[in-house]
Amino acid sequence: MSLLTLTRRTMLAAATSLLALGSLSAPALAQTPPGVLIVGQIAEPKSLDPAAVTAVNDFRILVNLYEGLVRYKPGTLEVEPQLATSWEISEDGTEYTFALREGVTFHDGTPFNAEAVKFNFDRMLDEAHPFHDTGPFPLAFFFSSVETTEVIDDLTVKFTLNAPYAPFLSNLAYPTGLLVSPAAVEAGGADFGRSPVGTGPFKFAEWRSNEAVVIEKNADYWGEPAGTDAVVFRPITDANTRVAEMLAGGIDMMVEVPPTALSQFQGGGFDIVEQAGPHVWFLILNAKEGPFADKRVRQAANYAINKEAIVNDVLEGTADVAAGPTPPAFAWAYDESLDPYPYDPEKAKALLAEAGAEGAELTFYVTEGGSGMLDPIAMGTAIQADLAAVGLDVSIETYEWNTFLGEVNPGLEGKADMAEMAWMTNDPDTLPYLALRTDAWPDKGGFNSGYYSNPEVDALLEEARTATDQAKRAELYQQMQKIVQDDAPWVFVANWKQNAVTSDRVENFQLEPSFLLQLSSVVKN
């Protein structure tokens, strides 16, 4: 019997046991076989091309299929070698030369070498590249400092930057830096993301839309072999359904467990795993048009929303109130002197009156779920009620995650006044650079969907990413945080501690501060 037939039968048996369970008054015996790990994901992936996606939901699959020149050391956000064995940085910080690992092949049998590295970065960054049209590449911003990628010899590649760029190595470790097979891109073209080929411990088996992505052990992997024969990623968008499947034994692992459901997994049969990381949940405010074009109205929204109640009552203490755009997990760059906006509805009303915005009608985009979005419908409803209490008339429009991103990422102009969003990032540069700079407005390829613009913030961010001294970078980021908090382009809501639940048949699993899902060492009994 083939592995793919086995995984199909596995899911059918799990679904049957779930239906038979009825009220879920007691957990059923797990139906999944040993050696096949079934993961309950929060949504269908958009693509399996690492250069073409932005969501952690997709990245959790990709890091098991692909590898980069470097990776995050397990349990940290520190960078260590992966497909590169070492690197040298020029004295002026503008040249990075990598020695590549010998004897590595892509899953299609083609060699990994310096030409493959050059192909990957030229495809993403060079509009004249013959396969640039296989994009779009929404996070190419990560490598905008790269002027050239040069093949020195078969196992040596050099990047030349247009200026020193402190986050470069960290960005190489992020999933946007994962390396794909040039031959597979040439064969698949724009459809490569449906038939991915990397060098990782697992290789792609199949993708059945809205049902499962199946990956299987790579028998020819250059490193330690994977601990399971296969992993099945099932998109289960409804959180309650994911919980029911986990309790019934239909899945072996569930990520982003709703806070209200955690207590159901305490005790025998399950393990709860938690890990802090750099996460921020916020509301994007449309600063270009409508009521939120006035800073006083944006500040009023921050005062009007009872974030303590959201964190304690909706999220049941699994997050802290956010004070600004930088997560406190970046301890070296975080401004500890900043206090969150207090809950002060009277001050909110006064600011609205001063701005002449009493009774303003607002359109609010809310998602059903998504990477790092916690409990977005309940949070959105609570936010709507708090804003109504200060006289704002908020209409909610709810979307499935990928549809939501398709509405929000191109910008809110002409559509909405505010939208939920969450980012899980790898460096204090990432989120503000991609979502708060003037040059990151959507029409310029960025994620500044609320059109915030402050030249002082732009200058601080540009200086911070070229500063090679960490203390100087920290000072610049802290200045940025103060300005952004006062300008209030977002409502700063929560910093979350990620979680997952596994069955007690799963061993060697840990969550990563990067929010990625590394499964090569996991064993399923």
Side-chain angles (χ1 to χ4, degrees), residues 34-114:
V36 178
L37 180 71
I38 301 186
V39 180
Q41 285 272 81
I42 59 176
E44 175 87 342
K46 183 177 181 180
S47 171
L48 297 179
D49 180 347
V53 295
T54 64
V56 170
N57 182 68
D58 301 3
F59 293 160
R60 288 177 174 134
I61 302 174
L62 299 179
V63 292
N64 297 286
L65 290 168
Y66 301 99
E67 297 168 305
L69 294 174
V70 297
R71 68 176 184 179
Y72 298 119
K73 185 178 180 180
T76 76
L77 289 173
E78 299 172 17
V79 171
E80 69 175 12
Q82 192 169 45
L83 290 178
T85 56
S86 62
W87 57 87
E88 295 181 357
I89 306 172
S90 64
E91 286 188 14
D92 66 358
T94 64
E95 293 182 355
Y96 287 70
T97 304
F98 292 86
L100 305 183
R101 193 174 297 278
E102 293 187 61
V104 177
T105 58
F106 289 101
H107 300 150
D108 57 9
T110 59
F112 165 75
N113 53 28

Side-chain angles (χ1 to χ4, degrees), residues 120-193:
N120 272 263
F121 287 91
D122 286 355
R123 175 176 79 116
M124 189 169 20
L125 299 172
D126 181 2
E127 293 183 1
H129 190 270
F131 292 94
H132 185 73
D133 62 358
T134 58
F137 306 114
L139 295 183
F141 265 121
F142 275 35
F143 304 110
S144 60
S145 62
V146 175
E147 282 197 337
T148 61
T149 306
E150 181 183 353
V151 174
I152 304 301
D153 58 43
D154 203 41
L155 293 175
T156 311
V157 65
K158 181 172 77 172
F159 294 88
T160 300
L161 312 185
N162 55 25
Y165 177 45
F168 183 60
L169 286 173
S170 180
N171 285 356
L172 285 174
Y174 202 67
T176 310
L178 295 171
L179 300 172
V180 309
S181 161
V185 173
E186 292 168 2
D191 294 327
F192 168 75

Side-chain angles (χ1 to χ4, degrees), residues 136-376:
F137 306 114
L139 295 183
F141 265 121
F142 275 35
F143 304 110
S144 60
S145 62
V146 175
E147 282 197 337
T148 61
T149 306
E150 181 183 353
V151 174
I152 304 301
D153 58 43
D154 203 41
L155 293 175
T156 311
V157 65
K158 181 172 77 172
F159 294 88
T160 300
L161 312 185
N162 55 25
Y165 177 45
F168 183 60
L169 286 173
S170 180
N171 285 356
L172 285 174
Y174 202 67
T176 310
L178 295 171
L179 300 172
V180 309
S181 161
V185 173
E186 292 168 2
D191 294 327
F192 168 75
R194 297 290 303 196
S195 302
V197 178
T199 62
F202 293 93
K203 60 184 181 179
F204 176 73
E206 67 172 338
W207 180 355
R208 300 191 298 280
S209 294
N210 299 309
E211 185 181 348
V213 171
V214 182
I215 62 177
E216 60 186 8
K217 181 188 291 188
N218 175 14
D220 299 317
Y221 183 55
W222 61 267
E224 289 291 323
T228 57
D229 295 323
V231 181
V232 180
F233 295 92
R234 290 184 53 199
I236 308 172
T237 57
D238 180 73
N240 291 329
T241 304
R242 284 201 307 280
V243 170
E245 287 263 20
M246 191 73 212
L247 290 168
I251 56 179
D252 305 305
M253 178 184 297
M254 173 182 175
V255 294
E256 301 195 29
V257 184
T260 54
L262 276 172
S263 62
Q264 298 181 62
F265 298 104
Q266 293 172 349
F270 302 102
D271 293 314
I272 299 173
V273 185
E274 294 182 326
Q275 170 68 59
H279 168 278
V280 60
W281 197 105
F282 56 98
L283 300 180
I284 304 169
L285 304 180
N286 185 342
K288 188 176 186 181
E289 60 185 7
F292 290 129
D294 190 318
K295 182 171 82 169
R296 293 168 296 184
V297 182
R298 301 195 300 268
Q299 290 177 333
N302 273 278
Y303 286 115
I305 294 169
N306 190 343
K307 296 174 282 292
E308 288 281 357
I310 290 173
V311 163
N312 293 325
D313 300 337
V314 178
L315 302 181
E316 301 204 358
T318 58
D320 295 318
V321 173
T326 300
F330 294 124
W332 64 271
Y334 182 68
D335 187 346
E336 294 185 353
S337 71
L338 287 182
D339 292 322
Y341 275 85
Y343 176 51
D344 191 340
E346 294 307 314
K347 186 161 188 175
K349 290 177 183 178
L351 284 166
L352 292 173
E354 183 180 325
E358 306 106 311
E361 296 181 355
L362 305 173
T363 299
F364 180 19
Y365 281 177
V366 170
T367 181
E368 295 173 354
S371 304
M373 292 306 303
L374 311 183
D375 198 347

Side-chain angles (χ1 to χ4, degrees), residues 325-326 333-335 338 452 456-457 459-461 463 471-486:
T326 300
Y334 182 68
D335 187 346
L338 287 182
Y452 171 64
E456 190 175 359
V457 168
L460 288 168
L461 290 172
E463 186 178 356
K472 179 61 175 176
R473 289 186 74 202
E475 178 186 340
L476 295 165
Y477 289 131
Q478 288 163 9
Q479 290 180 47
M480 176 274 295
Q481 290 165 58
K482 286 184 172 69
I483 297 168
V484 170
Q485 191 201 49
D486 181 67

